[in-house]
Amino acid sequence: MKNKSLRTIVEGALMIALSLVLSYLKIPIGIAFGGFGGSVDLVMIPLIVFAVRAGCGWGLGAGFIFGTLKFLFAGGTAVNWQSMLLDYSVAYAFVGFAGLLRGRRGEMPLGALVGCVGRFLIHFLSGVTIYRIVDPTEIFGATTSSAAVFSLLYNGSYMLPNTILAVVLCALIAKPVHKLGERLDR
C-alpha cells in the first residue's frame, strides 16, 4: 500500500477490533475480592504488536480508543468519569508505550513489559487517588488501611499474570510478526 498513514490506520483499526474481541475471552481472577476485580486475557497483545510496528504515538492512540470502546461495549464498570478515564482509556493508552522499543533488539517482549508496566502504573494511580481504600480492608488474608498497599496488591494480582503472559507470548510471536510486517510493508 502506497499511503503509509492509511495502512497504519487500517492496521490499527484491525488490532483494536481484535483486542475488543479478545476482551470477551477472559479468565476472571477476582474471587479473592468477592467476585469483582481484574482478569487474565490477551487484549494487550494486538495493541503491543501495533505499537511496536507503528510507534509510540500510534500505539498511544490505539490504546486510548480501545480502552474507551472496552468500557462502552465490554462490560466496563466505573465509580465516576475519572475512574472510567483512568481505568480504561488512559490505562490502555499507556500500553502504547510499547512503541518506544520500535526497531530495537528484543522490541516485542521488552515492549510488552514497558506497555504492561505503564498500564499497571495507571491502575495503581487510580486505586490510590480515586478508590482510596482507607478503611481497614482485607486482601489476600491481610488487613490494610493503606490505599497504596491495597492498590498495589489488588492491581498486581491481575497485572502480574497479564504481564508475564504478554511478555512470553510476544517473545514467541516476535519473529513471525516481524516477517509478516516485512511482507506487508512492501
Side-chain angles (χ1 to χ4, degrees), residues 3 11 17 21 37-38 50 61 68 74 92-93 99 101 103 110 125 127 142 147 153 158 162 166 174-176:
N3 188 337
E11 187 177 332
V21 168
F50 177 68
T68 304
Y92 283 102
L101 280 291
L110 291 176
L125 179 66
L153 294 174
Y158 66 90
N162 274 306
K175 193 171 184 177

Side-chain angles (χ1 to χ4, degrees), residues 36-48:
F36 65 93
S39 61
V40 176
D41 55 40
L42 301 174
V43 299
M44 291 187 294
I45 305 301
L47 298 174
I48 292 164

Side-chain angles (χ1 to χ4, degrees), residues 6 8 23 31 47 98 101 117 122-123 137 140 177-178 180 182:
L6 178 59
T8 305
S23 72
I31 296 169
L47 298 174
L101 280 291
V117 168
I122 297 302
H123 287 306
T137 305
F140 299 124
V177 166
H178 184 69
L180 178 62
E182 286 177 347

Side-chain angles (χ1 to χ4, degrees), residues 85-116:
L85 194 62
L86 276 181
D87 289 331
Y88 292 92
S89 303
V90 176
Y92 283 102
F94 269 54
V95 174
F97 279 115
L100 292 173
L101 280 291
R102 180 180 181 199
R104 299 207 168 114
R105 184 173 169 88
E107 64 187 356
M108 289 288 287
L110 291 176
L113 181 62
V114 168
C116 291

Side-chain angles (χ1 to χ4, degrees), residues 4-168:
K4 185 169 171 48
S5 292
L6 178 59
R7 191 207 72 222
T8 305
I9 291 168
V10 170
E11 187 177 332
L14 289 171
M15 293 302 196
I16 291 167
L18 180 56
S19 288
L20 197 54
V21 168
L22 290 171
S23 72
Y24 291 99
L25 306 172
K26 59 187 172 190
I27 301 168
I29 59 172
I31 296 169
F33 309 109
F36 65 93
S39 61
V40 176
D41 55 40
L42 301 174
V43 299
M44 291 187 294
I45 305 301
L47 298 174
I48 292 164
V49 169
F50 177 68
V52 168
R53 283 193 31 78
C56 187
W58 287 100
L60 291 168
F64 187 88
I65 292 167
F66 166 73
T68 304
L69 292 174
K70 180 175 169 45
F71 175 77
L72 295 173
F73 298 114
T77 57
V79 295
N80 54 32
W81 68 268
Q82 297 95 335
S83 165
M84 185 286 272
L85 194 62
L86 276 181
D87 289 331
Y88 292 92
S89 303
V90 176
Y92 283 102
F94 269 54
V95 174
F97 279 115
L100 292 173
L101 280 291
R102 180 180 181 199
R104 299 207 168 114
R105 184 173 169 88
E107 64 187 356
M108 289 288 287
L110 291 176
L113 181 62
V114 168
C116 291
V117 168
R119 179 179 163 204
F120 168 77
L121 290 174
I122 297 302
H123 287 306
F124 175 77
L125 179 66
S126 174
V128 170
T129 60
I130 293 173
Y131 291 95
R132 293 188 303 268
I133 304 297
V134 292
D135 292 333
T137 305
E138 186 176 325
I139 183 166
F140 299 124
T143 302
T144 183
S145 57
S146 167
V149 169
F150 186 87
S151 185
L152 177 72
L153 294 174
Y154 174 79
N155 292 300
S157 73
Y158 66 90
M159 280 305 301
L160 182 60
N162 274 306
T163 299
I164 292 167
L165 183 63
V167 169
V168 168

